[in-house]
Amino acid sequence: MLKVANSTCNRNSTNSLTDSLGGMEEFDRGQNPVVEPRDPDSTENCVSSMFTSIDKKLVETFIGLQQSQLWQVPDGKGIDQELIGFVGREWNRGILFYNPYFKEASRSAFSSMPHTTEGRIRRALRRLQVELSNQGKAALHDYQILGGDVDIVRTLQPDPATYAVGAFWSMLGQAGDVFSYLGALYAMNLVTTWVSEFLSDKMMQRDLATDSLALPLMWSTNSRRRSLVARAIVHRMAMKHPISWELIILGAERLLQVYPVPICNEIEQRADRLYGGFA
């Protein structure tokens, strides 16, 4: 149950989130109830509290990334350019594997949106989903620009961490839970922004080829824009559907268990085997 100051965030002014089972059954029957808050300011506070809970988890994830060996690559040109290119290739290789399952979850989430959802929210989400669903093709293109062999990568099996990300999106797609999906979507775009900005910075320091350098700059710019769009969609849906608050938080928390720290850890391990690490 969400807490704001000394008050409890409820679905409305009288019913607690703990009695939300009846509301969920209504939702499952397709009635998609919208609880109109008696106090919009209180609802806004509760939605802010929801974002605070998610952002706290995101900060913890960011701290975990900063403590990784990968994140602490020394500045300057002392590290082989091929090693940094390898990191970029491996990041894109992961996208190639789990993107089909993300697309599956996106289709399921969109079809399970409450029928009362505003048209502009539907359109904004659909545009965002289309952009992200095309990342598989973009990842293959970027993998090749960074020196990867596209024929070989198609024959490879996903590593355990990448497999877990695909399984997460696959399970979410089967559940048809649009609110958990939105929480995961917001978290994914924000952490992808961090990783992309990291790669952009390291590539710039090593004067990598212009085509290669343009990739992480584009990744970070697009991911930051997408995270803002995702946050706006989540905010609007949460204001209209207080029953969604805990599901949105759960979606973000579940994603952060498998992405991006485990992916980065696997890239570290492969770099250790192939290049002797980042020292």
Side-chain angles (χ1 to χ4, degrees):
M1 186 179 297
L2 293 172
K3 297 285 186 179
V4 177
N6 294 321
S7 63
T8 301
C9 287
N10 299 326
R11 290 170 51 232
N12 54 35
S13 60
T14 58
N15 297 324
S16 167
L17 278 171
T18 56
D19 73 345
S20 64
L21 180 58
M24 283 301 294
E25 290 171 346
E26 258 187 20
F27 184 86
D28 290 341
R29 288 196 297 270
Q31 297 182 34
N32 304 325
V34 176
V35 180
E36 294 295 340
R38 299 180 184 178
D39 183 356
D41 290 338
S42 176
T43 299
E44 180 65 53
N45 288 339
C46 289
V47 173
S48 295
S49 180
M50 178 194 75
F51 276 115
T52 297
S53 178
I54 295 173
D55 291 344
K56 180 181 177 182
K57 293 292 184 181
L58 286 166
V59 168
E60 292 173 358
T61 298
F62 186 61
I63 291 173
L65 282 173
Q66 287 180 314
Q67 293 173 345
S68 69
Q69 183 185 14
L70 174 63
W71 207 265
Q72 295 176 26
V73 173
D75 292 337
K77 301 178 182 177
I79 300 297
D80 188 359
Q81 291 183 352
E82 170 59 23
L83 176 55
I84 300 302
F86 169 81
V87 173
R89 289 197 302 275
E90 293 301 288
W91 182 258
N92 279 284
R93 185 163 76 95
I95 295 173
L96 281 170
F97 286 125
Y98 62 70
N99 186 255
Y101 304 101
F102 169 79
K103 290 195 287 187
E104 171 192 324
S106 296
R107 286 191 293 268
S108 174
F110 191 82
S111 65
S112 64
M113 292 182 79
H115 65 77
T116 53
T117 304
E118 300 165 80
R120 64 192 181 105
I121 298 300
R122 288 180 179 274
R123 290 190 296 271
L125 179 60
R126 193 60 190 146
R127 284 194 297 268
L128 185 60
Q129 289 177 330
V130 169
E131 282 190 43
L132 292 167
S133 295
N134 288 332
Q135 281 196 319
K137 293 180 181 177
L140 187 63
H141 173 264
D142 296 351
Y143 183 87
Q144 186 173 27
I145 287 180
L146 291 167
D149 188 319
V150 295
D151 292 325
I152 291 178
V153 75
R154 288 192 177 101
T155 68
L156 301 177
Q157 291 293 316
D159 295 301
T162 303
Y163 191 92
V165 176
F168 165 81
W169 289 115
S170 181
M171 289 183 67
L172 195 53
Q174 292 178 33
D177 178 359
V178 64
F179 297 127
S180 291
Y181 170 86
L182 288 173
L185 186 71
Y186 167 63
M188 179 186 73
N189 278 284
L190 195 54
V191 296
T192 299
T193 300
W194 296 337
V195 175
S196 299
E197 289 177 346
F198 160 78
L199 287 173
S200 174
D201 178 58
K202 298 305 177 185
M203 284 184 170
M204 288 178 69
Q205 292 170 9
R206 287 161 180 81
D207 295 333
L208 288 179
T210 303
D211 287 344
S212 298
L213 180 57
L215 296 177
L217 289 172
M218 180 179 65
W219 299 336
S220 60
T221 300
N222 289 341
S223 294
R224 184 166 294 280
R225 174 181 54 80
R226 289 166 183 157
S227 67
L228 293 174
V229 172
R231 187 180 181 102
I233 293 171
V234 170
H235 179 273
R236 187 64 178 171
M237 293 290 283
M239 288 293 292
K240 286 287 187 180
H241 303 278
I243 201 172
S244 71
W245 297 337
E246 291 186 351
L247 293 173
I248 291 170
I249 292 172
L250 276 174
E253 290 180 342
R254 288 166 178 164
L255 175 76
L256 294 175
Q257 288 293 314
V258 297
Y259 179 91
V261 173
I263 298 285
C264 291
N265 288 343
E266 278 194 345
I267 294 175
E268 271 185 31
Q269 293 168 11
R270 291 196 291 274
D272 281 337
R273 293 195 298 268
L274 295 173
Y275 296 93
F278 298 93

